[in-house]
Amino acid sequence: MPTAMQIRGLGPITMSVADLAHSEAFATEVMGMRRVRTYQSDDAAPATVHVFAMGEGGPAAELHMRVEPHLPRARQGAGAVHHVAFRIPDADYGAWVDRFDRYRLPSSGPVDRYYFRSLYIREPGGILYEIATDGPGFDADEPKESLGERLPCRPSWSRGAPPSSGG
């Protein structure tokens, strides 16, 4: 795909939380984010939105927490987003496994997705976070020059085993 046509990133993640204190503590203490600003939304249901930044910050490195005290705990269902993913360098993966263990937080433990490695953890409001590496990458089973021209299946799927929630 020509570079000019590639999706290079998306804007910030916006999630609704009923209890800012617990979700903010998770974002700052566990995830290492920092609170950078607060604003009032200007939509049909106004709310206070707290912005947390990762790394150098900017739209692709922000998490917006919209405070909506009347909301129930997050759960899966029709129309729900399954999870939000945060990208990490491959070399940092073990440190994240250790970090969740050190905080004694229940997580998925290491998950090999063939194209990348993941960890899954729920923040206090029930929203599922994924920590995902870049590597080995989507070019693990086809050349970069032809990515997107066909739909390859990872080796475990091509052996007749159906995909499972773990892989």
Side-chain angles (χ1 to χ4, degrees):
M1 172 160 302
T3 302
M5 303 297 289
Q6 296 174 1
I7 296 173
R8 305 300 294 173
L10 301 174
I13 297 165
T14 301
M15 60 187 226
S16 296
V17 298
D19 180 359
L20 178 66
H22 291 108
S23 293
E24 178 176 21
F26 186 85
T28 56
E29 295 172 28
V30 177
M31 299 299 292
M33 298 178 194
R34 64 193 179 285
R35 189 170 172 175
V36 294
R37 69 182 182 283
T38 301
Y39 66 92
Q40 291 296 313
S41 67
D42 60 359
D43 51 23
T48 302
V49 181
H50 302 267
V51 181
F52 298 85
M54 300 160 265
E56 295 178 17
E62 289 182 351
L63 173 64
H64 294 219
M65 287 190 195
R66 181 184 168 93
V67 180
E68 299 185 66
H70 63 282
L71 291 178
R73 181 174 164 80
R75 63 185 187 276
Q76 292 303 298
V81 172
H82 183 263
H83 68 277
V84 296
F86 299 95
R87 177 181 178 189
I88 61 165
D90 297 359
D92 292 355
Y93 186 75
W96 280 99
V97 173
D98 294 343
R99 182 179 191 89
F100 293 158
D101 287 347
R102 190 170 53 254
Y103 277 100
R104 296 186 175 167
L105 295 169
S107 75
S108 64
V111 178
D112 182 355
R113 296 281 184 213
Y114 184 70
Y115 298 109
F116 54 91
R117 293 178 298 160
S118 295
L119 291 166
Y120 296 88
I121 189 165
R122 287 200 185 275
E123 63 88 46
I127 297 168
L128 185 62
Y129 284 16
E130 176 186 21
I131 307 297
T133 62
D134 283 332
F138 289 104
D139 60 342
D141 56 2
E142 62 180 317
K144 282 185 180 181
E145 300 76 34
S146 62
L147 280 174
E149 293 178 6
R150 62 185 189 87
L151 181 61
C153 288
R154 55 189 264 186
S156 63
W157 293 1
S158 60
R159 287 191 298 269
S164 69
S165 61

